[in-house]
Amino acid sequence: MQPNSDTRSKQVNVWCDLVLEYFKANKNYILDVNEAQTSPLFCNSAINRKLSTDGIVLILLELEKRGNLEWQDKQKSRCLVMWRTPSEWGKLVYKWAVDSGLANSVCTLYEIHSGADTTSEEFSNIEPWMLKKTILALQSEGKAEYIHGINPDDSDAGVKFFT
């Protein structure tokens, strides 16, 4: 990483954008920090260069500040990289719900991520855990209510959208 703070800040921004684009292109969300140095994302074997572990952690901490990353453990060895934040996904899902006439009605999360009406939407096949975070973000904005399912894994959960 660059020692000059201005240059370092720009470098961190570029790295953050690169990480998010990489995870989006690969439709991946999970990163193991211990394995990151050997990942093509952080290691270019053709020129024998790789980002240091400290550099990787710096990038991940910045992504966490931006709301694009959540640690899965206290040791910060494994994380979820969210190439869209739950609120960004929420804007897309809410627009679809309103445009589809679903305001003030209930639908299941399954209908949103796997339904026939959403196959052309960017959130089609979104990971269920990410969709739940998305709906909870909408709920915190007063645009939806998350309805817990009766199954222990909440696989039958639903949502009511508000106008």
Side-chain angles (χ1 to χ4, degrees):
M1 300 300 294
Q2 296 294 319
N4 178 288
S5 62
D6 290 339
T7 306
R8 182 187 197 105
S9 176
K10 290 175 186 171
Q11 185 181 29
V12 168
N13 285 333
V14 170
W15 268 109
C16 287
D17 292 345
L18 179 65
V19 169
L20 296 176
E21 285 300 317
Y22 180 85
F23 276 80
K24 181 180 181 179
N26 290 289
K27 294 200 178 216
N28 190 8
Y29 292 94
I30 298 171
L31 177 69
D32 185 310
V33 178
N34 298 322
E35 297 172 5
Q37 269 200 313
T38 59
S39 160
L41 176 59
F42 298 111
C43 177
N44 186 338
S45 56
I47 59 171
N48 201 25
R49 299 274 317 252
K50 64 181 177 181
L51 189 60
S52 68
T53 302
D54 290 343
I56 294 170
V57 170
L58 179 69
I59 304 306
L60 299 179
L61 291 174
E62 179 61 27
L63 287 169
E64 179 183 27
K65 281 185 212 170
R66 295 179 181 189
N68 292 104
L69 184 139
E70 286 185 10
W71 295 103
Q72 290 193 301
D73 59 3
K74 290 181 181 181
Q75 298 78 23
K76 295 188 176 185
S77 64
R78 191 170 167 93
C79 59
L80 297 173
V81 178
M82 298 174 284
W83 33 277
R84 282 191 205 269
T85 64
S87 61
E88 290 169 340
W89 281 117
K91 288 175 186 170
L92 296 173
V93 170
Y94 188 75
K95 181 181 181 329
W96 166 81
V98 170
D99 291 350
S100 300
L102 293 173
N104 299 315
S105 62
V106 176
C107 67
T108 66
L109 299 192
Y110 179 83
E111 289 174 280
I112 296 171
H113 72 74
S114 298
D117 295 338
T118 62
T119 55
S120 63
E121 301 294 332
E122 286 186 63
F123 54 82
S124 180
N125 294 314
I126 188 172
E127 293 286 332
W129 62 265
M130 186 57 159
L131 183 55
K132 181 177 180 179
K133 287 181 178 297
T134 297
I135 301 305
L136 292 174
L138 287 171
Q139 181 171 286
S140 72
E141 296 172 15
K143 294 180 177 179
E145 178 185 358
Y146 183 82
I147 303 168
H148 291 277
I150 56 173
N151 291 333
D153 65 356
D154 238 7
S155 60
D156 57 343
V159 59
K160 181 174 183 175
F161 294 102
F162 304 120
T163 54

